[in-house]
Amino acid sequence: MSAQDVTITLPDGATKTVAAGTTIADFVKTQIGPGLAKAALFATIDGAEVDLSRTLDRSAKLAIFTTKNPESLDLVRHDAAHIVASVVQRLFPGTQVTIGPTTDDGFYYDFARDTPFTPEDLERIEQAANEEIRADHPFVRKEVSKDEALALFERLGEKFKLEIIEDIFAKGATTLTLYSHGDWTDFCLGPHGPSTGRVGVIKLLSVAGAYWRGDHRNAQLQRIYGTAFFTQKDLDAWMTQQEEARKRDHRKLGKELDLFAFHPAAPGAVFWTANGTMIFTILAGAMRRLCLSNGYAEIKTPLLYNKMLWEKSGHWGKYRENMFLILDPEADDTLAVEDRASFSLKPMNCPSHHLFYEMKRRSYRELPLRLHTQDVLHRNEATGVLSGLTRVRQFQQDDAHIYLMESQITDEVKRLAAMIAKVYAAFGLEFTAKFATRPEQKIGDDALWDRAEAALRAALEETGLPYELKPGDGAFYGPKIDFDVADSIGRKWQLGTIQLDYVAPERFELGYIGPDNNEHRPVVIHRAIYGSFERFIGILIEHYAGNFPVWLAPEQVRILPVHDRHLAWAEEVQARLLAAGLRVDVDRSRSKLGAQIRDAQLAKIPYALVIGDKEVEAQGVSPRKHGTGKDADLGLQTLDAFLAVIQPEAEIPY
RNA sequence: GCCGAUGUAGCUCAGGGGUAGAGCAGCUGAUUCGUAAUCAGCAGGCCGGCGGUUCGAAACCGCCCAUCGGCUCCA
């Protein structure tokens, strides 16, 4: 080994010695093998991702990544974003480029162009992008100084890029890395694959407006969404999977299973059908029982309040845009709308609960005082954000406010974490916790926030739950822990929340008499477990793909008489199941059994009971279990045997 | 709120400047049938709303409403 040699350690521990300055590509070809050299996409040197064109200048650990490594998909999608940007600029001269990152499922690229891209434009771009892949242009890396970078993008007339370059150097960079393929150049951290040909296949998905730097006061850009895969087969598999996800869309299933509806006369407000209402009330009742057994009291408070309440709570200053205002008919109509408003529908329950709390003297012996409410809330959401059950204007939360002493925070947060875990487990929902700290728009001084954040975080640490930090994501009145759940196909939803609030007790001058006979200030915890019933039911529909467990199914059993002469026994069975507390219907259509079964299957009813001559003779039933294919028929059995199967499944698990 | 797309029967969807179509669902009749669709007939629509262009508009244009995909925001 000469002084100019370096020692390279491979992931399996093997070491190789080569001359310093050898490129990774050459190293792989000569020291490992031409097979891997051909398959390689990028590498890591001591864990840092690099291009294969980089040289080995010091002894280090080297790992080579190919299409077999999951990380590589993200790399080719980044390559794909560059390719799309290059063909867009070729096909649509004058279009400016901005940024083009990868996402979980693919990538997007934001363009500045006056005329929006049409679906036909997208097809042309996709075709040209895939031609660019076939042209197999190498990605060429080059480092330049700030002046060179500015000169280049100045000449290209890319004003958004110039802005980004200034930022990058302002943050302390000394050089900028350029990547070119064909005659097109962009800058980015890299790495990129060896050439465009390694991308496989690009599929463009949609075009949408997006604001420059995500700020709605900035220019609106045209965002092209796309994805890329190594092979057409992978892409097809992904497209099929997307298709499957669309089949369990709660809006589609809500119609098919007759759970809920919307009407243009009340945008963002749900019409719950009998089926949907059944699910809603089961969830509401289950939460009531859980709260009762955890020392909560349920209360009801008014929906409509004089604006003086909102001024006191701080909502008038921070939340008015989202509130439905009732205008005073006597008011001077030259005034601004908010000055004519006299009342508002409540967008949150907290101020109502604070009023309730302060209606009488409170003792430390009452604390923690846990107030639970499922009242209706209204928030005037922007038209563009409404979406099925997940984003509505009228909704109900499984809301509660807990008034307690600072010393009780840890125990209470632990109690809440246990309740949350129990509820989500009942649905088979996996969850993760996120700790969110003070946002820019906030009320209360920093000293108060310091205490609130420290207390909540300490309590969270004590629960032992793993959590992720979300700085600046707190509510305007306090820090919070949000609970994200993942549904059966891995999608994440934010549901439960625990929010600590030192500000409201100050504003509402809440107090309790302590053991020292002096008045003290309580702390408030805001908490919800389902979040909103509407969103939660939407998520459950998708999680179960409409196949509700017996305890949640609006119709648990459907009885299918084979012939009219079996109706008498069918009705007898129905009466006995109803008496056992089950939700049961009889199919009185005169269709053939096959059609009756099909209807019951499509309605996703957990059990269908076939009743024909055999069953009447034996005074029994033949249950058929939904969704179990060839094993669906459970065979002739007594009613008691069937009850023994279904009753445990009908029990609410929390 | 912003950008784009869409809106035809209860549902799913064809059609497209010259009298509005299908399947399923519904209703009526026949069929009484054993584990995912029995047959026939009937009925059903101001083609989202308002304006405009045109001899003629469901179709073309404008505005509005709603929905969908995103952005900002969020339970």
Side-chain angles (χ1 to χ4, degrees):
Chain A
M1 166 168 177
S2 78
Q4 290 79 35
D5 286 348
V6 293
T7 305
I8 299 304
T9 309
L10 298 172
D12 63 1
T15 58
K16 305 267 185 188
T17 303
V18 291
T22 307
T23 66
I24 297 170
D26 285 342
F27 170 83
V28 175
K29 200 187 295 176
T30 58
Q31 303 291 317
I32 304 180
L36 184 63
K38 217 174 154 197
L41 283 165
F42 72 105
T44 57
I45 293 180
D46 288 336
E49 296 188 349
V50 294
D51 300 278
L52 298 172
S53 61
R54 297 293 283 277
T55 54
L56 295 163
D57 301 323
R58 59 186 161 85
S59 297
K61 284 185 186 152
L62 179 73
I64 304 298
F65 290 78
T66 69
T67 56
K68 294 209 164 59
N69 302 92
E71 299 89 333
S72 301
L73 202 50
D74 202 55
L75 178 108
V76 300
R77 286 170 175 174
H78 189 194
D79 292 352
H82 278 232
I83 293 169
V84 166
S86 70
V87 304
V88 164
Q89 291 205 305
R90 194 177 71 224
L91 295 174
F92 303 94
T95 302
Q96 298 216 7
V97 286
T98 66
I99 56 163
T102 58
T103 62
D104 287 351
D105 272 340
F107 64 91
Y108 64 79
Y109 209 111
D110 286 348
F111 299 96
R113 180 171 186 252
D114 292 337
T115 330
F117 296 108
T118 64
E120 293 72 33
D121 292 340
L122 226 54
E123 277 177 38
R124 278 177 66 201
I125 296 164
E126 180 178 301
Q127 205 176 359
N130 283 303
E131 278 162 20
E132 201 70 6
I133 290 174
R134 284 188 287 278
D136 199 21
H137 299 295
F139 280 101
V140 179
R141 180 178 187 281
K142 186 185 175 192
E143 281 186 35
V144 295
S145 68
K146 180 180 177 182
D147 288 345
E148 288 174 279
L150 289 175
L152 172 63
F153 288 96
E154 183 81 59
R155 184 160 53 76
L156 294 170
E158 299 286 356
K159 62 183 180 116
F160 294 93
K161 287 292 187 191
L162 291 172
E163 206 178 312
I164 301 170
I165 292 168
E166 290 290 354
D167 277 5
I168 290 171
F169 285 99
K171 280 185 193 145
T174 52
T175 59
L176 192 72
T177 317
L178 300 180
Y179 281 91
S180 306
H181 66 269
D183 53 5
W184 190 83
T185 300
D186 195 358
F187 59 82
C188 74
L189 287 169
H192 278 282
S195 67
T196 58
R198 305 297 296 281
V199 171
V201 56
I202 291 176
K203 171 82 186 165
L204 297 187
L205 302 168
S206 63
V207 59
Y211 301 104
W212 169 236
R213 305 205 148 171
D215 190 326
H216 67 280
R217 289 163 301 197
N218 288 344
Q220 182 131 32
L221 308 171
Q222 306 292 325
R223 174 171 297 179
I224 292 180
Y225 281 91
T227 191
F229 285 91
F230 296 124
T231 64
Q232 182 68 41
K233 203 177 149 201
D234 290 349
L235 171 62
D236 292 344
W238 181 79
M239 297 284 279
T240 307
Q241 194 189 320
Q242 294 294 106
E243 190 55 44
E244 289 302 312
R246 273 193 288 277
K247 279 187 196 158
R248 51 167 79 206
D249 186 316
H250 75 273
R251 292 166 298 194
K252 184 171 151 68
L253 287 168
K255 229 178 255 175
E256 288 171 1
L257 303 179
D258 193 24
L259 299 172
F260 61 87
F262 289 93
H263 192 279
V270 187
F271 288 77
W272 290 104
T273 65
N275 287 339
T277 302
M278 182 58 71
I279 293 171
F280 197 120
T281 56
I282 291 166
L283 292 173
M287 184 55 68
R288 288 199 162 99
R289 278 188 301 279
L290 183 68
C291 283
L292 273 176
S293 65
N294 275 277
Y296 288 70
E298 182 175 359
I299 64 168
K300 287 186 177 294
T301 61
L303 304 188
L304 194 59
Y305 291 88
N306 191 298
K307 82 172 177 192
M308 69 174 68
L309 175 65
W310 310 116
E311 285 168 346
K312 188 172 187 176
S313 68
H315 286 84
W316 200 252
K318 302 275 186 251
Y319 205 75
R320 191 179 55 231
E321 279 188 3
N322 282 298
M323 290 167 51
F324 283 104
L325 307 179
I326 310 289
L327 300 190
D328 179 355
E330 309 280 300
D332 178 352
D333 62 10
T334 60
L335 292 172
V337 166
E338 60 266 29
D339 293 323
R340 278 188 279 156
S342 51
F343 282 81
S344 165
L345 287 164
K346 65 179 174 188
M348 298 178 189
N349 289 306
C350 19
S352 325
H353 283 179
H354 303 334
L355 292 182
F356 182 88
Y357 179 93
E358 64 159 11
M359 279 175 181
K360 63 180 190 184
R361 281 288 239 202
R362 301 289 176 181
S363 156
Y364 75 96
R365 294 177 192 279
E366 293 179 72
L367 306 186
L369 179 70
R370 306 183 181 95
L371 301 179
H372 174 57
T373 285
Q374 298 183 355
D375 283 349
V376 173
L377 302 176
H378 287 85
R379 296 185 189 173
N380 194 4
E381 302 289 350
T383 52
V385 307
L386 299 178
S387 179
L389 294 178
T390 48
R391 200 70 186 275
V392 289
R393 288 197 175 129
Q394 179 196 303
F395 60 102
Q396 284 165 260
Q397 292 179 319
D398 60 323
D399 207 357
H401 294 89
I402 301 163
Y403 298 82
L404 72 180
M405 297 182 268
E406 247 183 304
S407 62
Q408 296 172 319
I409 291 173
T410 306
D411 279 352
E412 195 61 29
V413 170
K414 280 159 75 178
R415 173 192 287 268
L416 280 170
M419 286 171 76
I420 286 171
K422 187 176 184 184
V423 171
Y424 295 168
F427 300 97
L429 295 165
E430 303 278 332
F431 70 94
T432 51
K434 290 190 305 192
F435 180 67
T437 58
R438 71 197 79 180
E440 275 181 37
Q441 285 260 340
K442 62 177 195 291
I443 53 179
D445 61 38
D446 282 335
L448 217 49
W449 276 87
D450 288 342
R451 268 166 69 200
E453 288 175 5
L456 188 60
R457 189 163 190 172
L460 179 56
E461 297 271 352
E462 277 236 8
T463 65
L465 290 174
Y467 67 92
E468 175 188 328
L469 205 58
K470 301 282 276 190
D473 222 24
F476 68 81
Y477 46 75
K480 60 179 182 174
I481 306 168
D482 281 335
F483 293 87
D484 277 5
V485 308
D487 68 17
S488 64
I489 52 173
R491 279 178 299 187
K492 294 260 170 88
W493 305 90
Q494 200 243 295
L495 291 184
T497 186
I498 300 176
Q499 307 180 357
L500 196 55
D501 187 351
Y502 283 72
V503 176
E506 294 284 341
R507 292 197 161 234
F508 284 82
E509 295 173 35
L510 303 182
Y512 65 89
I513 306 300
D516 58 1
N517 202 31
N518 289 321
E519 177 134 359
H520 300 273
R521 193 74 78 218
V523 180
V524 177
I525 290 175
H526 308 241
R527 56 112 275 201
I529 297 179
Y530 297 147
S532 82
F533 284 93
E534 284 76 6
R535 179 176 290 182
F536 192 64
I537 292 172
I539 290 161
L540 289 183
I541 292 168
E542 304 199 1
H543 175 60
Y544 290 122
N547 303 302
F548 295 108
V550 173
W551 67 276
L552 262 183
E555 186 178 346
Q556 297 170 314
V557 180
R558 183 172 295 178
I559 300 174
L560 312 179
V562 175
H563 184 280
D564 280 354
R565 66 178 175 273
H566 307 123
L567 253 176
W569 176 235
E571 282 168 359
E572 172 68 20
V573 168
Q574 181 190 28
R576 289 173 48 184
L577 293 177
L578 286 172
L582 295 167
R583 301 184 285 273
V584 192
D585 270 331
V586 177
D587 184 341
R588 286 162 197 285
S589 74
R590 290 169 61 187
S591 311
K592 289 172 72 171
L593 183 62
Q596 292 180 324
I597 284 171
R598 183 168 187 274
D599 288 345
Q601 287 292 312
L602 291 177
K604 300 179 187 283
I605 296 158
Y607 289 98
L609 300 184
V610 175
I611 289 187
D613 289 338
K614 283 185 296 186
E615 288 75 17
V616 173
E617 167 80 14
Q619 294 285 284
V621 295
S622 290
R624 189 182 199 283
K625 197 170 165 68
H626 170 64
T628 45
K630 287 185 170 44
D631 305 322
D633 187 355
L634 304 183
L636 178 60
Q637 55 193 271
T638 64
L639 204 46
D640 285 342
F642 175 64
L643 276 169
V645 170
I646 193 173
Q647 273 183 320
E649 296 177 21
E651 257 169 55
I652 293 167
Y654 59 96

